[in-house]
Amino acid sequence: MKIKILFFFLITIAAFAQRPKMHLIIAADVEDNAYTVRNFSKEEKIKNMFSLVSAELGFNLQTKYLHTYNYGFSAKGVLDTLSKLKILTLDDIVIFYYLGRGYYNEQNAKVPLLEFQDTKKMLSFDQIRKKLIPLKARL
């Protein structure tokens, strides 16, 4: 009987471990120095929305917060986090959500550059995309 319970337990853990994941990376400027505001409510709303989506899809949600309060709102922090991201199944989904300021570097630009607090460094969506494509996630 103990062996059957142990076997069932191991099968359950193996099935849970192989379950696809939704990797939510929220880069948020929660301390906007221009307005002296500290606001975590937007990123919590985003997390709650993707919690509902992941539950409906049957995916495990893994959230990583990149903001001034814990990790620093830096371009280097974003690129490092994306470099360390581990995709375990081909069904995994990666969501990069940016809450901050952006600026258009050209008059006809369709997508703004993302501004971070490390010496006014800006990232383009192309730089972020180049970090995500090698992961070969589903979406």
Side-chain angles (χ1 to χ4, degrees), residues 55 66 98 122:
L66 302 172
Y98 176 81
M122 302 234 189

Side-chain angles (χ1 to χ4, degrees), residues 58-71:
F59 283 42
N60 292 327
L61 180 65
Q62 291 187 338
T63 306
K64 178 75 172 175
Y65 294 98
L66 302 172
H67 51 66
T68 49
Y69 189 69
N70 285 336
Y71 302 104

Side-chain angles (χ1 to χ4, degrees), residues 24-33 37-44 46-47 63-78 81 96-100 115-118:
L24 175 60
I25 301 164
I26 302 174
D29 190 1
V30 296
E31 294 178 357
D32 192 334
N33 294 331
V37 173
R38 180 178 280 175
N39 186 356
F40 293 96
S41 64
K42 287 182 183 175
E43 65 180 12
E44 284 307 310
I46 298 303
K47 182 182 183 272
T63 306
K64 178 75 172 175
Y65 294 98
L66 302 172
H67 51 66
T68 49
Y69 189 69
N70 285 336
Y71 302 104
F73 186 63
S74 70
K76 182 182 180 331
V78 167
T81 298
F96 177 79
Y97 202 99
Y98 176 81
L99 291 164
E115 182 183 24
F116 293 91
Q117 292 181 342
D118 50 350

Side-chain angles (χ1 to χ4, degrees), residues 22-125:
M22 181 180 284
H23 305 269
L24 175 60
I25 301 164
I26 302 174
D29 190 1
V30 296
E31 294 178 357
D32 192 334
N33 294 331
Y35 302 107
T36 61
V37 173
R38 180 178 280 175
N39 186 356
F40 293 96
S41 64
K42 287 182 183 175
E43 65 180 12
E44 284 307 310
K45 286 178 184 176
I46 298 303
K47 182 182 183 272
N48 290 339
M49 178 180 68
F50 283 106
S51 293
L52 292 172
V53 171
S54 66
E56 192 66 30
L57 292 173
F59 283 42
N60 292 327
L61 180 65
Q62 291 187 338
T63 306
K64 178 75 172 175
Y65 294 98
L66 302 172
H67 51 66
T68 49
Y69 189 69
N70 285 336
Y71 302 104
F73 186 63
S74 70
K76 182 182 180 331
V78 167
L79 294 176
D80 288 348
T81 298
L82 294 176
S83 294
K84 294 175 186 173
L85 196 60
K86 301 281 190 254
I87 301 298
L88 300 178
T89 74
L90 293 177
D91 287 332
D92 283 8
I93 295 173
V94 178
I95 299 156
F96 177 79
Y97 202 99
Y98 176 81
L99 291 164
R101 295 176 187 265
Y103 295 98
Y104 292 95
N105 62 340
E106 299 172 6
Q107 190 173 9
N108 295 330
K110 294 183 180 178
V111 180
L113 295 173
L114 309 178
E115 182 183 24
F116 293 91
Q117 292 181 342
D118 50 350
T119 63
K120 299 281 185 199
K121 175 136 183 180
M122 302 234 189
L123 286 179
S124 69
F125 281 105

Side-chain angles (χ1 to χ4, degrees), residues 8-25:
F8 179 73
F9 178 73
L10 292 175
I11 288 175
T12 304
I13 287 178
F16 185 72
Q18 295 302 319
R19 196 169 160 195
K21 291 181 178 61
M22 181 180 284
H23 305 269
L24 175 60
I25 301 164

